[in-house]
């Protein structure tokens, strides 16, 4: 591990100023992802500014919705009664991620900022434009089974790993930040970037810009998160989806759908949302929406299996969210399966 300096911030203003004025500086909260990258010789910060002691650990009602402080742990948010009752997809996504020990440490701001699990990114011996701009991309032409179907570029085909981010994108969450130029609000679907020619930049956050809270706007419908992974726990999504349905009697008034594990950012699928709005929920409708969601997918050499898997997962999520099919597994937990088991069935076209 490279030498670095460490500083504990007493206020958000102080933290922002310290990072903003120091090239190579970064914030650290739970450290559950960041420290791994430092130990793996992937990230070499000059200065870590510790924001874990800042008073950003409240979950409170806000403008008809909920405001979650940036420093709230993933565990505290997952089991908060308002989040479980009104934003089930958020709770389910959090409980589908990592281990209990990591959820206890990881913060709500840090979770959506975790970096890709592309294996070449985490191996300094491999070419990787995200880790070292201009060095190339070993995944293109390599073993790219966990990589992107949408929005990739000739420089990077990585996917974003956060489960929580997918649920927040579907629920139109907003990110509150404090930066060197003051506070601002970012719509969650705009937080992450596509790779383009600058895959080393994951988000639109500026150097020294600190997330202070995540707002969940008022929502009177049902939401749900489902994930398929290579083993039943402590694994990242091959494909996931978050669905938020608002009903008008028996009719779907508004639908929001975000996919995970398929792009450099949580992937909202407008065509599927438009197909669902104003319709009565049926399996036939959900099949059509799932087909529309993946119509523009551009598979790589080893990841075409994600298309039928994602379609089938989305149909299942819509059936469960609309009540046409009972929830699978214990209430409040996300579905997960090994590739050889139920996930293998999900990968079968139908
Ligand atoms: Fe690096 Fe992106 Fe290529 Fe993976 S896909 S090796 S993260 S440039």
């Amino acid at each position: 591990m490279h030498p670095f300096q460490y500083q504990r911030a007493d206020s958000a203003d102080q933290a922002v100023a310290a990072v903003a004025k120091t090239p190579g500086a970064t914030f650290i909260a739970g450290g559950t992802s960041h420290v791994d990258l430092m130990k793996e010789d992937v990230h070499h910060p000059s200065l870590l500014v510790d924001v874990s002691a800042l008073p950003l650990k409240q979950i409170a009602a806000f403008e008809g919705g909920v405001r979650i402080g940036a420093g709230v742990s993933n565990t505290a948010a997952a089991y908060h009664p308002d989040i479980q009752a009104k934003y089930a997809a958020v709770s389910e996504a959090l409980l589908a991620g990592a281990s209990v020990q990591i959820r206890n440490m990881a913060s709500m701001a840090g979770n959506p900022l975790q970096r890709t699990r592309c294996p070449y990114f985490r191996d300094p011996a491999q070419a990787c434009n995200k880790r070292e701009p201009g060095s190339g991309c070993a995944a293109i032409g390599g073993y790219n089974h966990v990589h992107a179907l949408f929005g990739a570029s000739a420089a990077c085909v990585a996917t974003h790993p956060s489960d929580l981010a997918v649920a927040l994108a579907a629920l139109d969450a907003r990110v509150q930040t404090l930066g060197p130029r003051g506070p601002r609000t970012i719509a969650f679907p705009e937080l992450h970037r596509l790779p383009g020619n600058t895959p080393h930049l994951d988000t639109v956050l500026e150097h020294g810009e600190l997330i202070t809270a995540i707002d969940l706007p008022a929502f009177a419908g049902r939401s749900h998160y489902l994930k398929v992974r290579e083993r039943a726990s402590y694994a990242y999504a091959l494909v996931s989806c978050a669905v938020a349905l608002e009903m008008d009697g028996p009719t779907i008034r508004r639908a929001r759908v975000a996919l995970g594990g398929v792009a450099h950012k949580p992937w909202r699928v407008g065509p599927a949302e438009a197909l669902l709005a104003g319709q009565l929920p049926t399996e036939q409708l959900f099949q059509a929406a799932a087909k529309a969601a993946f119509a523009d997918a551009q598979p790589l050499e080893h990841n075409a299996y994600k298309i039928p898997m994602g379609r089938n997962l989305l149909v299942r999520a819509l059936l469960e969210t609309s009540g046409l099919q009972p929830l699978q597994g214990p209430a409040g937990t996300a579905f997960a399966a090994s590739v050889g088991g139920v996930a293998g069935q999900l990968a079968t076209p139908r």
Side-chain angles (χ1 to χ4, degrees):
M1 191 185 289
H2 290 232
F4 62 92
Q5 295 200 310
Y6 171 88
Q7 182 177 321
R8 183 174 279 249
D10 294 326
S11 70
D13 286 326
Q14 186 191 74
V16 168
V19 172
K21 74 179 183 191
T22 312
T26 190
F27 303 110
I28 190 164
T32 52
S33 178
H34 220 113
V35 175
D36 282 351
L37 292 174
M38 292 169 66
K39 290 193 288 191
E40 289 167 356
D41 200 23
V42 173
H43 189 215
H44 315 121
S46 60
L47 167 68
L48 289 179
V49 176
D50 187 345
V51 294
S52 62
L54 298 184
L56 302 172
K57 296 183 179 170
Q58 302 296 315
I59 300 177
F62 180 75
E63 294 183 352
V66 173
R67 171 164 284 181
I68 307 170
V72 170
S73 75
N74 286 192
T75 300
Y79 291 111
H80 191 277
D82 284 349
I83 293 175
Q84 286 187 307
K86 298 177 187 167
Y87 306 97
V90 171
S91 177
E92 291 168 346
L94 287 165
L95 294 175
S99 63
V100 172
Q101 291 88 347
I102 288 176
R103 290 198 294 268
N104 289 343
M105 288 297 294
S107 70
M108 287 298 282
N111 184 320
L113 299 182
Q114 57 186 299
R115 306 206 70 193
T116 184
R117 307 306 294 195
C118 171
Y120 301 107
F121 171 70
R122 287 167 187 263
D123 181 353
Q126 301 287 340
C128 174
N129 289 321
K130 185 179 281 297
R131 177 174 23 81
E132 191 178 334
S135 63
C137 172
I140 298 173
Y143 187 42
N144 44 40
H145 81 297
V146 298
H147 292 78
L149 296 174
F150 301 100
S153 72
C156 179
V157 294
T159 58
H160 185 69
S162 165
D163 299 299
L164 171 64
V166 182
L168 295 177
L171 288 162
D172 283 328
R174 294 185 297 270
V175 177
Q176 303 297 336
T177 73
L178 179 66
R181 293 186 283 177
R184 69 166 166 159
T185 302
I186 303 170
F188 197 87
E190 310 303 322
L191 176 66
H192 295 91
R193 308 165 67 117
L194 289 178
N197 291 324
T198 54
H200 60 291
L201 302 174
D202 288 344
T203 71
V204 299
L205 295 175
E206 297 176 9
H207 182 63
E209 187 170 10
L210 177 71
I211 294 178
T212 55
I214 295 171
D215 293 343
L216 292 168
F219 173 63
R222 293 180 68 183
S223 68
H224 190 28
Y225 181 76
L226 285 181
K227 166 181 180 179
V228 184
R229 46 189 160 180
E230 288 183 314
R231 54 180 187 268
S233 70
Y234 199 23
Y236 294 85
L238 296 171
V239 183
S240 70
C241 63
V243 171
L245 297 181
E246 292 168 273
M247 307 299 291
D248 189 359
T251 305
I252 299 170
R253 181 168 59 79
R254 185 179 179 210
R256 284 170 285 173
V257 178
L259 303 175
V262 296
H264 201 255
K265 59 187 288 184
W267 195 253
R268 280 285 291 265
V269 279
E273 295 175 1
L275 244 166
L276 293 165
Q279 303 296 320
L280 290 172
T282 64
E283 179 162 358
Q284 193 179 26
L285 173 70
F286 296 158
Q287 293 279 3
K291 194 172 175 188
F294 285 85
D296 296 330
Q298 295 184 304
L300 303 162
E301 188 178 359
H302 301 290
N303 70 353
Y305 73 94
K306 287 187 176 187
I307 298 175
M309 178 182 279
R311 280 196 207 123
N312 293 345
L313 189 72
L314 180 51
V315 171
R316 187 172 183 157
L318 288 164
L319 287 168
E320 293 183 359
T321 310
S322 64
L324 292 186
Q325 181 174 302
L327 290 174
Q328 304 289 324
T333 63
F335 166 75
S338 65
V339 164
V342 181
Q345 298 164 25
L346 286 168
T348 304
R350 62 178 182 176

